[in-house]
Amino acid sequence: MIFKYKCEPFNGPVKPATVVFLPIGPDSIDRTDGLASFRLLIQPHLTSGAFKGQHLEALPLFGSQDTWLVIIGLGPLEKLTEAGLLAAAAQAGQTLNKLRVKEAVVSLPSLAFGSIKTLELICTGFKLSLEPRGEYKSVKSEPQPIIKNITFQTPSASDFIDRSKSVLTRAETLATAQLEARYLTDGPAQEFTPEALAAQAVEAGSTKMFKVTVWDESKLEIEKAGAILAVGRGSVNRPRMVILEYQGAAGLAKDSSTVLIGKGVTFDSGGLCLKPAENMNLMKTDMAGAAAVLAILKAAATLKLPQRLVGLLPLAENMPSGSAYRPGDIVTTMSGQTVEIVNTDAEGRLILADALTLAHKYNPARIIDLATLTGACQVALGERCAGLFCDHPQLLKSLQTAGKDAGEHFWPMPFVEEYEDNLKSDLADFKQAGSRAGGAINAALFLRRFVTKNIPWAHLDIAGTARNTKARPGCPEGATGFGVRTILKMLTEF
Ligand code: BES
Ligand code: ZN
Ligand code: ZN
């Protein structure tokens, strides 16, 4: 579905639906953002208490000339966050969809974020809320989005109208990338195997102008990628390593690359250390990191970002079988370091280890990995906040700033040196996992052994945030595409 966005001053004809955002407050409809002209329509509903302006409250009013006026609550303005505004816009999008509206005019509220950021967040919210669903249903139960035209009404200022065009294009590209990551992540594991995902990457590369190299098993053997091979050994769907290289604008220094790594376990059964049956189906989401990295590379190429990017997707299916790797095995990783396997369900850190080693070959200026790595991180930070492990103050700050801007939370987590003891092994260089306590930190400490000290590196544990348990405005139940917009913003703005 393609949106048409137009920005026009607040004087156009009334369209089949008009959307206004109403904050809570005594002067809420005396504001200069277009609300005042709807005073007569809105006031009775405020007076009767039918509409309070609470955050995400939606009131569609059927007006004259077969048009709708949709009022969306913003709640008290001092509490409105970037994520909150995005959700309010998504609520508006969902409401328009239910009303089967094809064309709408959105009156931009004047908020402390400033008009450009307000426009960007609202556009993102609309885009994220209007995606077709139910691909695998023989009969579609939910009505598919039919909205074609959204016009943003701005108070005036022609310079804003000029700038807004590029803001809208960028916001739409970023949101599209997030939807793409969701799509890849939500797909059933029987269809989205390592081989199939690699094929998707190859296809993307041919149209989007970045180079795609796929290592199959024999190449993984040659490269001594023992950790990926070990994890993938139990499945008939054989492992792959996908390398995406986007050169950026011409003339860039070779050392300016950012390497992005995405955990790509296409299904995590736990392997021989089998997970319980309950919720095992959700482990098709264990390649959310890889999906995010692929979507980011595609968007970066579309936006023609002026920087070199390398995306590494270690892809494997973690299954129990007669050929599966076992607890007690000793695996030689691509780095040459040996690892004693203690739990085949801690497979993510193994495939990431080989990818981190490979990352160093690209002389990276920074390495960022995204991984649904530990249940411990999900328990610690929940569904809306990812763990951010980073010892490099500047990289840490730019990720947090970009995250805030994108409406995504990242909480800094510590490398607790004392927990290094948890990884001591009598047999190999170190063990693959420590105790359950501090599980997210133990995993990060394991990964750190594969990163050269002076390279800025960030590890994002997205185990909790990659999946949404209950639908909310802008995100249905299922994959979230978390991290995609944050990383793209960080690459372009921070
Ligand atoms: N893919 C899981 C982590 C996960 C859990 C992601 C819940 C999303 C939601 C990972 O491979 C895993 O199983 N980790 C184990 C490690 C343990 C065995 C050391 C965990 O977190 O329990
Ligand atoms: Zn696992
Ligand atoms: Zn996993």
Side-chain angles (χ1 to χ4, degrees), residues 263 268 275 283 286 343 345-349 372-376 378 433-434 436 463-464:
K263 170 177 171 182
D268 183 11
K275 285 183 182 291
M283 282 300 131
D286 214 18
N343 189 323
D345 197 11
E347 81 300 332
R349 63 197 75 187
T372 46
L373 205 61
T374 65
Q378 181 184 38
R436 270 201 183 275

Side-chain angles (χ1 to χ4, degrees), residues 84-369:
L85 178 58
L86 196 151
Q91 180 73 298
Q94 280 169 215
T95 309
L96 293 180
N97 196 34
K98 280 199 200 111
L99 299 173
R100 308 313 287 150
V101 162
K102 289 200 183 110
E103 203 177 346
V105 172
V106 178
S107 181
L108 280 193
S110 42
L111 302 173
F113 302 123
S115 45
I116 290 291
K117 199 165 165 190
T118 299
L119 176 67
E120 184 193 340
L121 286 163
I122 289 184
C123 170
T124 306
F126 272 108
K127 183 75 192 169
L128 291 180
S129 67
L130 294 168
E131 73 187 309
R133 303 282 299 167
E135 193 199 340
Y136 294 91
K137 284 192 185 286
S138 53
V139 180
K140 305 266 181 281
S141 50
E142 289 171 46
Q144 300 301 304
I146 53 166
I147 193 148
K148 289 270 174 338
N149 246 310
I150 297 184
T151 306
F152 292 97
Q153 275 184 333
T154 60
S156 60
S158 58
D159 62 323
F160 171 78
I161 293 176
D162 286 346
R163 266 172 73 204
S164 61
K165 281 200 191 89
S166 62
V167 172
L168 289 178
T169 313
R170 226 178 68 90
E172 189 167 8
T173 309
L174 265 60
T176 304
Q178 181 168 0
L179 291 175
E180 196 151 27
R182 284 184 188 173
Y183 171 79
L184 292 171
T185 308
D186 266 335
Q190 115 243 34
E191 213 173 282
F192 289 77
T193 59
E195 192 185 353
L197 269 175
Q200 293 253 2
V202 169
E203 197 192 315
S206 65
T207 55
K208 296 280 183 191
M209 311 291 284
F210 53 83
K211 187 172 152 202
V212 181
T213 313
V214 180
W215 289 1
D216 62 7
E217 255 188 321
S218 52
K219 177 67 173 163
L220 289 166
E221 300 272 5
I222 293 166
E223 297 291 338
K224 300 191 166 38
I228 299 179
L229 286 166
V231 172
R233 229 168 47 205
S235 172
V236 288
N237 298 310
R238 314 306 289 170
R240 297 281 188 275
M241 171 72 88
V242 176
I243 303 166
L244 316 163
E245 291 170 85
Y246 168 67
Q247 294 302 331
L252 286 174
K254 276 275 176 223
D255 60 1
S256 65
S257 63
T258 299
V259 180
L260 302 172
I261 301 174
K263 170 177 171 182
V265 174
T266 57
F267 186 69
D268 183 11
S269 70
L272 287 174
C273 306
L274 198 65
K275 285 183 182 291
E278 199 186 348
N279 289 337
M280 196 202 272
N281 57 323
L282 305 184
M283 282 300 131
K284 65 176 182 179
T285 312
D286 214 18
M287 35 60 75
V293 172
L294 178 55
I296 290 167
L297 263 284
K298 281 173 86 167
T302 305
L303 293 167
K304 299 193 168 57
L305 291 195
Q307 33 182 309
R308 280 185 85 223
L309 290 178
V310 178
L312 300 179
L313 319 180
L315 303 169
E317 186 173 47
N318 189 22
M319 295 293 257
S321 78
S323 61
Y325 80 131
R326 323 159 183 78
D329 280 1
I330 293 176
V331 168
T332 304
T333 62
M334 199 173 163
S335 68
Q337 301 181 97
T338 58
V339 176
E340 181 187 350
I341 304 303
V342 293
N343 189 323
T344 61
D345 197 11
E347 81 300 332
R349 63 197 75 187
L350 292 172
I351 66 168
L352 289 173
D354 279 352
L356 284 166
T357 303
L358 177 57
H360 287 69
K361 307 210 163 129
Y362 294 91
N363 191 19
R366 52 191 171 184
I367 303 174
I368 302 168
D369 74 73

